[in-house]
Amino acid sequence: MVSGNPSSRARVEAGLGKRRRREIIFRSFGLAATLVGIFFLVAFFWTLIAKGASAFAQTFVQLDIEFAEEALAPGGELDLEFADFDSIARTALRTKFPEVTSRNDRRELNRLISVGAGYQIRESIIQNPELLGKTVAMQVPAAANVDMLIKGNIDRNVPADQRPLSDQQIHWIDALVADGSLVKKFNKALFVNGDSREPELAGIRGALMGSFYMLVITIALAFPIGAAAAVYLEEFATKNRWADLIEVNINNLAAVPSIVFGLLGLAVFINWIGIPRSAPLVGGLVLSLLTLPVIIIAARAAIKAVPPSIREAAFGLGASKMQVMFHHVLPLALPGMLTGAIIGMSRALGESAPLLMIGMVAFIVDVPASISDPATALPVQIYLWADSPERAFAERTSAAIIILLGFLLLMNLAAVIMRRKVERRW
Amino acid sequence: MVSLSLRETGEYRRMNQMTQPSITNEVSPKKSVTVEEPAADGYQTVGEVRCKSPFIVAENVDVYYGDNHAIKHVTLEIAKNQVIALIGPSGCGKSTFLRCLNRMNDSIDSARVTGRITLDGQDIYSKDLDPVVLRARVGMVFQKPNPFPKSIYDNVAYGPRIHGLANDRAELDDIVHTSLERAGLLKEVKNRLDEPGTGLSGGQQQRLCIARTIAVNPEVILMDEPCSALDPIATARIEDLMDELSEDYAIVIVTHSMQQAARVSRRVAYFHLGHLIEVDETNKIFTNPRHKLTEDYVTGRIG
């Protein structure tokens, strides 16, 4: 049509340049926005890994530990109450530096090994009583500051009164490095230990188990309740003013700040029902309430998205409402419902504010063995470590974030696989 | 005039009406419709609403969607072993009427049906009748082919399964095979019964839906524009199928195509704005309509 009329064709062509310019500008805006996003994502991961990766390795001191009979078994039998394992470790270190004699210097030297050394020696003799009377080469954890110096996180060039290690201590550390007594090993403690005041002994296990228990409770409660509520609201509830009111309230609940749920948990579960505080049980209940609205909304959307023609076909064949739901609607809605549940779970995993209100922010050394033991959660542990003054906790904070993200990734991966499986059946 | 073919009749009428000033002066065809619109109540359907040995009897049926009066005082009898076509312009209530016959309107909260519809003498809106039983007796085929996202076999077997029509696997196999056979689909899908029904072509899907419907062994089959999404070849196959099926079932078909109505049905009911305007034998409706609105519609003036 345009080519048929020379004047309008000329106009179209005249405006073409402007249109193309606009298109290019629009595209470059989009590209720029994407690049900004990618930049920050990369920067985030880079700083996180740069800071946190070193926490996965840990410095150990190689010592010849003497399991002397007079120190461990004065009566011929192993006497764990009598034995001073710390002093055994300290003695082993001092044999490397025979020139250190003054009380002060000895105390400074002792600070180079972790208090964990004594625990380790104790554990090895309990597990292997044959060691009694022998001298064994063992690698015991070095103090956090030694580790920091080795990793370069403590600057030896600053004046001695501004760093946590004295010149003398640095000299000893150098000597240990020189004779190969300082070794870096994989930091197993980070994964198997609970929290600790000593950074070199602190681990994520307690928080990991706390988070795991809470998520199990959350998924076990929130998914069935949310799915059932969504099915009822979508399929059975008559559409009236009450239904509208409920819908508005559910949507509002999804936007309520999470700390409010923490207050609710404190008031209802702890103060009224009397569940012990700091327990993953309470945390799981609170997180269930928190994720319920998200799950209900997603499940309702998934149910709504099932084509009405499928329902009609089933109804037309004489299927009852239950049969239509369970044979057709739910199987088709399940992938969408699962996605909603995973979004809810991811949110629950990263939530810390409500946990602060129910006492899950405490310093808890023991790894929880059940849902009623005191525990922390991963994000809370990150917060606690970030708040600690010791330098070595800085890298552990980043490491904990990496672990949290890994946990999240694993969860989402599981969800994707599950979703695929459910979808393939149809 | 009866001896004239359909097209000639239409042409003849159109030319004939050209001479009438009231119609030649009209701006839009709708205007003439409003003039002719029947009164809200007490409209008497033209033609023959009764039939010999009726199977479905609708008496004074009114349907409301909230405040919208969708079907107004419709009385119609439908016999077994014949096809009746419901025709009329969009929104005239023919689909609504069809859905009353198996209570598919139940699922719409605002829908309200008054009057009386009986199936083989039994009131289908009575409280003791479960719609599940009704729908097992009155099957339905929809406008768009809507196979379940399951295998071809499971699609056909679904109805017998939920109603417990087969005692064992062999019996179920038998039902599935006969149903596919009767729907004229068995030859094409024999070797791929476990493939998804959604992978078939549109026409095959619609025949699968028909197979699925007859697998329940209903007495009546309702068809809501079953060919509107299909090409002419698939349409022809379905029309042949309807012809065969009419030997055993009462078939009620809603269609927008007057050619289709003329080809497949023995009786035609013309709906207009919720009223059942005229019912008669197919050739009478198309060659000698008694009501002006019917005439306008079948000659292509409205609709």
Side-chain angles (χ1 to χ4, degrees):
Chain A
M1 283 298 137
V2 167
S3 56
N5 185 337
S7 76
S8 69
R9 183 178 167 181
R11 280 189 185 186
V12 168
E13 281 175 355
L16 217 53
K18 203 173 167 189
R19 274 199 240 180
R20 283 201 185 126
R21 265 198 309 283
R22 279 192 180 157
E23 213 151 297
I24 288 167
I25 290 169
F26 181 72
R27 270 177 57 178
S28 32
F29 266 124
L31 187 67
T34 313
L35 286 179
V36 168
I38 289 174
F39 170 76
F40 279 108
L41 192 72
V42 169
F44 169 67
F45 276 109
W46 192 74
T47 50
L48 201 59
I49 290 166
K51 265 194 191 165
S54 58
F56 291 98
Q58 173 76 19
T59 308
F60 287 78
V61 189
Q62 174 111 25
L63 293 176
D64 293 325
I65 303 291
E66 189 190 0
F67 292 93
E69 277 186 40
E70 61 268 27
L72 292 170
E77 281 285 297
L78 193 62
D79 187 350
L80 292 174
E81 278 182 38
F82 168 76
D84 183 352
F85 295 100
D86 286 341
S87 110
I88 293 175
R90 289 200 289 261
T91 317
L93 181 62
R94 274 208 301 279
T95 54
K96 281 186 184 280
F97 299 97
E99 73 279 7
V100 179
T101 47
S102 88
R103 203 182 156 79
N104 252 346
D105 286 353
R106 281 168 63 172
R107 195 178 293 152
E108 284 214 352
L109 183 61
N110 292 342
R111 291 212 185 107
L112 294 187
I113 50 172
S114 163
V115 294
Y119 298 133
Q120 196 184 335
I121 293 165
R122 184 189 145 99
E123 281 306 304
S124 54
I125 188 80
I126 290 173
Q127 276 178 11
N128 194 2
E130 288 156 28
L131 291 176
L132 197 62
K134 290 175 191 160
T135 302
V136 190
M138 276 178 74
Q139 289 168 345
V140 298
N145 286 333
V146 177
D147 189 43
M148 288 294 99
L149 185 79
I150 298 293
K151 286 173 180 166
N153 290 346
I154 290 177
D155 188 356
R156 62 170 73 207
N157 296 323
V158 299
D161 56 352
Q162 287 177 25
R163 54 176 140 82
L165 290 170
S166 66
D167 291 337
Q168 182 68 38
Q169 282 175 316
I170 289 181
H171 173 72
W172 289 326
I173 293 168
D174 289 341
L176 285 172
V177 172
D179 75 352
S181 296
L182 280 189
V183 283
K184 256 193 182 179
K185 283 204 307 187
F186 175 66
N187 187 2
K188 211 174 117 192
L190 186 63
F191 293 94
V192 298
N193 286 1
D195 199 5
S196 171
R197 292 274 181 236
E198 311 301 328
E200 70 274 13
L201 299 179
I204 202 79
R205 183 69 180 278
L208 205 63
M209 289 313 287
S211 276
F212 174 74
Y213 285 136
M214 281 196 300
L215 284 190
V216 168
I217 294 168
T218 306
I219 192 92
L221 283 178
F223 187 66
I225 296 178
V231 167
Y232 177 78
L233 290 174
E234 208 49 56
E235 298 288 329
F236 294 94
T238 42
K239 307 271 179 284
N240 55 21
R241 214 176 294 167
W242 286 107
D244 291 343
L245 194 73
I246 289 171
E247 177 155 7
V248 168
N249 274 302
I250 288 173
N251 291 342
N252 280 341
L253 272 181
V256 164
S258 54
I259 196 147
V260 176
F261 284 96
L263 280 169
L264 177 80
L266 177 65
V268 175
F269 298 127
I270 296 179
N271 290 346
W272 188 47
I273 300 181
I275 303 170
R277 87 185 81 157
S278 301
L281 178 59
V282 190
L285 290 171
V286 169
L287 293 182
S288 306
L289 293 182
L290 186 79
T291 47
L292 255 179
V294 180
I295 291 180
I296 292 176
I297 291 169
R300 286 186 72 173
I303 291 171
K304 244 183 223 162
V306 173
S309 64
I310 296 294
R311 272 174 239 252
E312 282 201 321
F315 276 126
L317 282 174
S320 68
K321 205 152 189 174
M322 270 271 282
Q323 286 170 329
V324 174
M325 274 319 286
F326 280 94
H327 298 167
H328 303 284
V329 177
L330 283 183
L332 286 176
L334 200 56
M337 292 166 93
L338 280 179
T339 308
I342 288 306
I343 292 170
M345 288 298 111
S346 304
R347 191 182 159 193
L349 178 63
E351 205 55 76
S352 55
L355 305 181
L356 305 184
M357 301 308 300
I358 54 168
M360 293 193 78
V361 75
F363 172 70
I364 290 154
V365 176
D366 292 325
V367 175
S370 76
I371 53 168
S372 52
D373 289 347
T376 52
L378 279 170
V380 177
Q381 190 66 70
I382 290 167
Y383 165 73
L384 285 172
W385 283 356
D387 215 26
S388 299
E390 287 89 350
R391 285 211 76 130
F393 273 124
E395 59 168 20
R396 275 168 179 74
T397 306
S398 295
I401 295 171
I402 293 173
I403 294 170
L404 174 66
L405 291 180
F407 205 67
L408 208 67
L409 211 69
L410 218 68
M411 240 169 69
N412 284 340
L413 201 72
V416 169
I417 291 170
M418 226 154 73
R419 211 190 133 118
R420 282 257 174 86
K421 247 190 187 151
V422 176
E423 267 176 341
R424 203 171 297 158
R425 251 182 44 213
W426 284 81
Chain B
M1 199 136 75
V2 177
S3 61
L4 287 171
S5 82
L6 184 62
R7 178 165 301 223
E8 284 166 335
T9 319
E11 284 302 314
Y12 167 74
R13 274 173 200 288
R14 217 165 286 159
M15 283 162 65
N16 209 14
Q17 279 153 356
M18 290 282 234
T19 58
Q20 295 171 12
S22 66
I23 294 187
T24 38
N25 290 343
E26 80 189 19
V27 182
S28 85
K30 272 190 184 142
K31 215 170 188 177
S32 72
V33 171
T34 35
V35 173
E36 300 264 350
E37 190 176 336
D41 285 305
Y43 175 80
Q44 210 56 49
T45 305
V46 180
E48 209 42 71
V49 295
R50 308 282 166 194
C51 65
K52 259 188 243 162
S53 60
F55 190 62
I56 300 173
V57 181
E59 295 275 3
N60 292 325
V61 174
D62 286 81
V63 180
Y64 305 83
Y65 292 125
D67 295 333
N68 179 16
H69 198 171
I71 298 271
K72 296 160 189 166
H73 263 70
V74 169
T75 297
L76 182 64
E77 287 184 353
I78 296 164
K80 258 200 158 172
N81 310 334
Q82 69 170 31
V83 179
I84 179 165
L86 313 183
I87 62 170
S90 296
C92 67
K94 55 197 188 307
S95 281
T96 300
F97 179 73
L98 189 76
R99 286 164 161 266
C100 287
L101 301 181
N102 66 345
R103 288 180 63 173
M104 282 299 271
N105 289 330
D106 282 15
S107 56
I108 302 163
D109 284 338
S110 62
R112 191 162 55 84
V113 180
T114 64
R116 189 179 150 88
I117 302 176
T118 56
L119 177 75
D120 206 6
Q122 189 183 13
D123 184 357
I124 67 169
Y125 279 89
S126 99
K127 284 220 166 69
D128 352 308
L129 183 74
D130 193 325
V132 164
V133 179
L134 174 68
R135 288 172 194 155
R137 296 178 67 188
V138 183
M140 187 157 191
V141 176
F142 297 85
Q143 182 171 3
K144 248 176 75 186
N146 54 355
F148 298 128
K150 298 180 176 202
S151 72
I152 294 170
Y153 184 95
D154 286 338
N155 258 287
V156 184
Y158 183 71
R161 270 191 189 132
I162 57 170
H163 294 302
L165 299 184
N167 292 321
D168 51 38
R169 178 80 192 193
E171 224 172 301
L172 191 62
D173 282 349
D174 194 45
I175 293 177
V176 170
H177 278 91
T178 12
S179 304
L180 284 170
E181 169 91 75
R182 298 204 59 188
L185 193 61
L186 188 63
K187 252 189 229 158
E188 292 153 65
V189 302
K190 206 176 350 184
N191 298 321
R192 44 178 180 145
L193 286 177
D194 52 348
E195 281 175 33
T198 40
L200 299 172
S201 75
Q204 288 174 325
Q205 285 189 17
Q206 195 60 301
R207 275 180 284 147
L208 177 64
C209 292
I210 292 173
R212 183 175 67 184
T213 304
I214 56 186
V216 184
N217 197 21
E219 292 151 86
V220 182
I221 299 177
L222 310 177
M223 294 185 168
D224 194 353
E225 298 179 43
C227 302
S228 65
L230 305 181
D231 67 26
I233 296 166
T235 301
R237 294 215 54 169
I238 304 247
E239 285 176 1
D240 289 346
L241 192 56
M242 276 186 242
D243 213 37
E244 288 164 31
L245 293 176
S246 66
E247 288 168 19
D248 301 293
Y249 307 97
I251 295 182
V252 187
I253 175 174
V254 164
T255 178
H256 266 132
S257 154
M258 277 173 281
Q259 288 93 329
Q260 183 169 59
R263 283 191 297 261
V264 300
S265 66
R266 190 172 321 161
R267 287 169 78 215
V268 169
Y270 173 68
F271 282 78
H272 186 92
L273 293 173
H275 289 283
L276 178 54
I277 301 296
E278 185 166 354
V279 187
D280 223 320
E281 282 175 14
T282 302
N283 65 339
K284 279 194 192 157
I285 288 281
F286 285 114
T287 56
N288 191 14
R290 288 196 235 168
H291 198 282
K292 177 79 174 51
L293 281 167
T294 319
E295 182 187 314
D296 284 350
Y297 186 72
V298 299
T299 54
R301 276 188 173 274
I302 50 170

